[in-house]
Amino acid sequence: MSVTTVFDGALNTKRSGKSVVARFFANVIRARELQAQRQVAETLLKLDDASLAAIGRDRATLRKELAAAS
């Protein structure tokens, strides 16, 4: 008869409910979303005030969004 002991912490990869791979891809996706938000805000800031007003945006809000995405 043999006895086998297993350290449960070594087998538990569900920190915060997600695997390492799932957390990696979630972080990659979030980084790409922030990059896209920065690029959109930078492009919209190149428009004139009349064009921004026509789409319901203003420079102050865009600058805040750009700072938040950085």
Side-chain angles (χ1 to χ4, degrees):
M1 176 175 174
S2 66
V3 177
T4 304
T5 59
V6 177
F7 176 61
D8 188 41
L11 299 176
N12 187 4
T13 60
K14 293 186 178 185
R15 291 186 309 183
S16 73
K18 293 184 179 180
S19 70
V20 173
V21 175
R23 282 183 285 153
F24 170 78
F25 282 112
N27 288 336
V28 169
I29 291 167
R30 181 65 184 143
R32 292 289 294 143
E33 288 173 346
L34 289 173
Q35 182 182 18
Q37 289 173 359
R38 282 191 301 268
Q39 289 176 343
V40 168
E42 289 171 353
T43 302
L44 289 175
L45 281 171
K46 294 177 183 176
L47 296 175
D48 61 0
D49 291 332
S51 298
L52 287 174
I55 61 172
R57 305 297 295 266
D58 61 37
R59 292 192 184 282
T61 305
L62 287 172
R63 286 188 181 111
K64 288 178 186 175
E65 290 174 7
L66 186 59
S70 295

